[in-house]
Amino acid sequence: MIANLVFYQLVLIALVWVFLMLAWLWPSEPAAARPIPPTPVTPPRKRSTAPKPFPGLTRKPSCAACEQAIEAPRLPPSPPPPPTVPSTRGRRRHVDTSDHFCPDRDCRYGGWLGLGNITSNGHPSGGPWRQLHCTGCGGYFQETHGTPLHGKRVAPDLLVWAVGALAEGLGIRAVARGFEVDPNTVLQWLVEVADHAVAFSQYVLHDVRVTQVQLDELFTLLSAVKTGEVSEAEAVERLSRSPHWVWAAIDPVTKLLLTVDVGDRTLAMAQRVVHQVVQVLAPACVPLFLTDGFKAYATALLAHFGQWVQLPRRQATGPAPKPRWMPRPGLLYAQVIKTVRRRRLVRVSHRVVFGTLEAVEQGLAACGWQINTAFIERVNLTIRQHVAAVGRRVMTLCKGEEGLHQQLALYHVYYNFCLPHASLRLPLPQSAPTYGNGSATRWQPQTPAMATGLTDHGWTLREVLLFRVPPWPQPAGV
């Protein structure tokens, strides 16, 4: 009985094993022959290429320069002008004193030009400068009062040539070696000339009407050395470099450099630069702005060229929508976005931020241009060539941001008023002969200030340094 039970179990195990082997060895249908149910193909979602309208902001972007209530205007308001002093001389004066004013603040005629209260008394003690007399208060002063040349014992031509060398891109020590003066003396000249250049730019560069503005920033290196902690020799050994950026704005039509500043690449700095541009432009002037892909420019422009707009209702009931801070209808702003991979430019794309592409192209069609930032990029190269502290692979790095500000202030005036631009020259109606064997002159040189209408002639650096900046705007202008 037991033997039969064991036999049946072995038979059952053998049958199970046979069925498993048959299932494993039995030929199955190939996978390619099996019918695959068709899967529905979902078409890819197409993104709209049309630019979306700007939704607006619930709060106005803040600008530190605009929010300062104590910030006075660029020039103090002028008091009512006094009456013109009639001349009591029988013959006409040979020395023109219309560009001079009395420096006495307590004088009734102090700060006013061309009122006939200034007379010339010649050169006291055989000096190079004339002595002027104010008939209103009876005071005497030199014609260099309030200029970098006032009180200098050095020859005026030497100082002008040294400052011109600084404006052409030489470093302070190179100028000191070339003109055989002490480097500290050259540095002191630069400080005084920079203050005078800032006052000159603020007095002349205002109420400018332009159609386009290009903004950009270029990278520079400054020597971050704290004064008083280490000696000069140790400072050179421990020289540490900190990144800074030189910001610039230019009118590409007249090549006028509207502003130039130094700071980090932040939103606050972008707002400060745009604020400076607004101070230069005329009150109702809203030009076309072109920049790179830096996002802070949009916020800065919106803070200065925006307005509150009440949006219409979407439904009949419910609360009214809150007003939105929107750009002005005439504001046009486009960006040139450059894609760089492994230090190579691989793609350039354009993006219209404010306005429409048709309006931007229509504004550029008057000059035959497309959306670009080529002109401000060219100015960046000019800045690197004329400002020693910004050049590449140089040893003339500034020890602080203030020194770079001074060199840029000098370059700002030199570029706008003294340096002729080749693309702005005008053909002469008749060729003028030259003194020599050269060909006749066929072109009239023109500076950016002349092309904009700020002045009627090209200034020499000596004229700029001798110009006495009035304390407030004058009716006749410059």
Side-chain angles (χ1 to χ4, degrees):
M1 185 68 182
I2 297 176
N4 295 335
L5 182 60
V6 173
F7 175 77
Y8 291 140
Q9 291 179 352
L10 293 175
V11 172
L12 180 61
I13 293 173
L15 291 174
V16 172
W17 181 80
V18 169
F19 281 116
L20 291 176
M21 292 297 295
L22 291 175
W24 179 64
L25 295 176
W26 193 268
S28 61
E29 187 178 2
R34 296 178 183 176
I36 301 176
T39 57
V41 179
T42 304
R45 185 177 179 181
K46 296 182 179 180
R47 295 184 179 182
S48 177
T49 58
K52 298 181 179 179
F54 183 69
L57 303 177
T58 57
R59 294 183 180 181
K60 177 183 177 181
S62 61
C63 177
C66 296
E67 292 179 353
Q68 292 180 355
I70 59 175
E71 182 184 8
R74 304 187 69 185
L75 293 175
S78 58
T84 304
V85 177
S87 177
T88 58
R89 297 173 60 91
R91 58 188 179 90
R92 187 178 179 180
R93 298 173 179 173
H94 295 281
V95 180
D96 185 16
T97 59
S98 59
D99 294 337
H100 295 278
F101 59 90
C102 180
D104 190 0
R105 297 183 180 179
D106 297 332
C107 179
R108 184 183 179 184
Y109 291 88
W112 288 103
L113 298 175
L115 295 182
N117 61 306
I118 304 298
T119 60
S120 176
N121 289 340
H123 301 264
S125 303
W129 308 115
R130 292 182 179 272
Q131 184 186 56
L132 303 180
H133 172 65
C134 176
T135 58
C137 62
Y140 294 88
F141 59 94
Q142 285 188 347
E143 60 180 341
T144 58
H145 189 278
T147 66
L149 297 177
H150 183 65
K152 298 293 187 300
R153 297 183 179 180
V154 67
D157 293 338
L158 177 62
L159 192 148
V160 173
W161 294 337
V163 174
L166 291 174
E168 286 292 343
L170 268 70
I172 294 179
R173 295 187 180 276
V175 174
R177 291 190 297 267
F179 293 94
E180 298 181 354
V181 294
D182 189 80
N184 294 326
T185 303
V186 179
L187 179 60
Q188 183 64 29
W189 292 347
L190 177 60
V191 172
E192 297 180 5
V193 170
D195 295 339
H196 181 77
V198 171
F200 183 86
S201 295
Q202 292 180 353
Y203 179 76
V204 182
L205 200 60
H206 61 85
D207 294 336
V208 178
R209 294 189 175 275
V210 298
T211 58
Q212 303 177 33
V213 174
Q214 294 187 5
L215 299 96
D216 195 14
E217 61 283 346
L218 62 96
F219 180 80
T220 182
L221 293 175
L222 301 182
S223 167
V225 179
K226 297 183 179 180
T227 59
E229 294 185 359
V230 295
S231 62
E232 184 176 358
E234 294 177 355
V236 175
E237 296 178 359
R238 301 182 185 181
L239 184 65
S240 61
R241 296 179 175 181
S242 60
H244 284 71
W245 297 82
V246 176
W247 299 66
I250 187 179
D251 173 23
V253 178
T254 62
K255 310 300 184 293
L256 183 69
L257 188 60
L258 301 176
T259 184
V260 59
D261 205 346
V262 183
D264 298 331
R265 200 167 186 258
T266 58
L267 173 60
M269 190 63 198
Q271 291 175 340
R272 189 170 79 179
V273 172
V274 174
H275 179 81
Q276 295 175 3
V277 173
V278 173
Q279 295 297 316
V280 173
L281 298 179
C285 180
V286 183
L288 165 65
F289 290 92
L290 300 171
T291 67
D292 56 3
F294 189 40
K295 298 181 179 180
Y297 282 120
T299 306
L301 291 174
L302 193 60
H304 295 84
F305 295 95
Q307 61 182 1
W308 289 107
V309 176
Q310 181 64 46
L311 301 179
R313 284 177 171 270
R314 294 185 177 180
Q315 54 187 3
T317 60
K322 296 182 179 180
R324 294 275 182 167
W325 185 259
M326 304 284 291
R328 297 181 188 176
L331 178 60
L332 300 176
Y333 172 45
Q335 292 181 344
V336 178
I337 304 174
K338 300 179 180 180
T339 304
V340 180
R341 294 179 181 176
R342 296 181 179 180
R343 297 184 178 183
R344 283 193 174 186
L345 182 64
V346 296
R347 186 173 64 255
V348 177
S349 60
H350 302 152
R351 179 173 59 188
V352 178
V353 182
F354 299 140
T356 61
L357 179 60
E358 292 77 10
V360 173
E361 291 179 349
Q362 184 179 2
L364 295 173
C367 302
W369 299 337
Q370 297 179 354
I371 299 177
N372 70 91
T373 56
F375 296 94
I376 188 63
E377 295 287 351
R378 181 59 181 85
V379 170
N380 291 343
L381 176 60
T382 308
I383 292 177
R384 291 193 183 276
Q385 290 179 340
H386 285 79
V387 181
V390 190
R392 296 183 182 273
R393 302 180 183 274
V394 296
M395 296 298 295
T396 56
L397 299 176
C398 290
K399 291 186 177 181
E401 187 175 334
E402 184 179 0
L404 184 56
H405 270 290
Q406 295 165 357
Q407 295 189 25
L408 289 175
L410 172 61
Y411 171 75
H412 189 196
V413 174
Y414 185 74
Y415 174 86
N416 285 334
F417 296 91
C418 303
L419 196 62
H421 205 285
S423 63
L424 300 177
R425 62 182 185 176
L426 299 176
L428 293 175
Q430 186 177 1
S431 300
T434 57
Y435 298 98
N437 299 326
S439 60
T441 303
R442 297 182 301 169
W443 302 94
Q444 177 186 357
Q446 196 175 19
T447 61
M450 296 174 61
T452 315
L454 297 176
T455 180
D456 57 352
H457 69 284
W459 290 61
T460 63
L461 194 57
R462 182 186 180 93
E463 292 178 349
V464 173
L465 297 181
L466 287 176
F467 181 78
R468 301 182 62 224
V469 181
W472 46 69
Q474 304 294 320
V478 178

